[in-house]
Amino acid sequence: PQTSAPQKSVVVIGGTGRIGTAVATHLLQRDRTLKVAMAGRDAERGLAAVEEVTRESGQPCAWIPLDYRDLDACREAVALTTAVVHVAGPFTGPNKLAPLEAAIAEKVPIYVDVSDPIEYLDEAKAMSPEAEASGTAALLCAGAFPGFSNVLAMEAAAALGAPVEDLAFNYFTAGLGGSGTVNLDITNYGFGPPVARYVDGAPAKTEDYAGADLGEVEYFFPGGDGGLAAACWAWPFPEAATVAEELGISGTSRAGMGTRAEWRWVSIGPGVSR
């Protein structure tokens, strides 16, 4: 007799946050046969997230309690699932790799995260042999920047058809969809250490770089009134190093962010600001 395929399922770690609920809603809207569980530490936020996603997607979903830094709890949460989507930043600190380790240990076919710290990426990539042996396809840095930005840079370089000398990522944001506080917190982790990028064709770590004034950038918006000019500030995004390495650039790379309302000062310690 013909048997039906097992139901596909996804666990969204960090599912109670703004990005997590957006991911869960998108998945359920694309595939109405999908089973989605959002995982997080706060039960009240979890129930609110379930209500929001169910309302927006028109499909049922679930919430499961999880401290994503607890490897055993992660393994229990992701066991037998089809995919894990990890959006609970900031991807630093003790046991930061627990969700990836759990996905590999439980032989989850697909793992995706929105990480960005260079140290996290290096440690995660070192687990490639274990992931391959378990049959886990792991995609790191799958957000907007880094993520889509990396793909766009590689496509642009391919279209040039010539070696790339300099590389600049100049981002602009007028809002973060309600996740501003979390994003600011995550970004601030990158202001202390030296920033990884390329200088004169070689990898470098630049001291006192994050938050530096990169000058004014002309931003263009297709379909709009043309664009605007805004101040751009150096930001600790990893693509200034990772894409530069992939392309083998001969010059200098940078990544920066312009904002509206204009961002100027962020306190990063007693008597210190950038």
Side-chain angles (χ1 to χ4, degrees):
Q2 187 176 9
T3 58
S4 59
Q7 185 179 20
K8 293 179 291 183
S9 59
V10 179
V11 173
V12 182
I13 298 176
T16 61
R18 186 66 192 93
I19 297 173
T21 55
V23 168
T25 299
H26 176 74
L27 290 171
L28 288 167
Q29 288 175 337
R30 284 182 60 89
D31 185 348
R32 296 188 174 276
T33 68
L34 197 62
K35 180 181 178 182
V36 172
M38 297 176 291
R41 289 174 292 188
D42 190 308
E44 184 176 350
R45 292 184 62 189
L47 294 176
V50 167
E51 291 180 5
E52 176 188 339
V53 173
T54 300
R55 181 178 65 252
E56 295 295 327
S57 69
Q59 295 293 111
C61 61
W63 174 78
I64 53 177
L66 176 68
D67 179 353
Y68 75 87
R69 296 188 186 277
D70 184 329
L71 178 57
D72 291 336
C74 278
R75 290 192 61 170
E76 182 178 352
V78 307
L80 304 179
T81 197
T82 311
V84 173
V85 180
H86 178 19
V87 297
F91 299 93
T92 60
N95 302 326
K96 58 182 176 291
L97 292 166
L100 175 57
E101 292 171 341
I104 293 172
E106 296 299 327
K107 302 183 185 300
V108 177
I110 300 169
Y111 169 91
V112 179
D113 71 32
V114 294
S115 57
D116 52 15
I118 288 286
E119 293 76 14
Y120 176 93
L121 303 181
D122 289 341
E123 292 180 35
K125 288 190 293 183
M127 298 173 64
S128 183
E130 291 92 336
E132 185 174 359
S134 75
T136 300
L139 178 61
L140 314 176
C141 294
F145 42 84
F148 289 134
S149 58
N150 301 35
V151 175
L152 288 171
M154 297 302 296
E155 291 285 342
L160 286 174
V164 176
E165 180 178 349
D166 297 317
L167 179 66
F169 293 91
N170 299 320
Y171 303 126
F172 178 85
T173 180
L176 292 167
S179 64
T181 302
V182 173
N183 273 273
L184 183 60
D185 183 45
I186 291 171
T187 302
N188 283 347
Y189 280 96
F191 278 112
V195 174
R197 61 192 193 106
Y198 266 54
V199 176
D200 297 329
K205 290 192 174 181
T206 307
E207 296 277 358
D208 298 325
Y209 183 73
D213 187 353
L214 298 180
E216 193 171 81
V217 170
E218 293 283 345
Y219 292 95
F220 173 72
F221 301 101
D225 296 328
L228 60 82
C232 188
W233 308 85
W235 222 255
F237 294 122
E239 51 267 49
T242 57
V243 178
E245 178 185 8
E246 188 69 23
L247 291 174
I249 69 170
S250 58
T252 298
S253 64
R254 77 179 208 187
M257 174 74 79
T259 63
R260 183 70 70 216
E262 187 171 309
W263 172 83
R264 287 191 178 277
W265 302 99
V266 177
S267 175
I268 59 173
V272 182
S273 59
R274 289 285 184 268

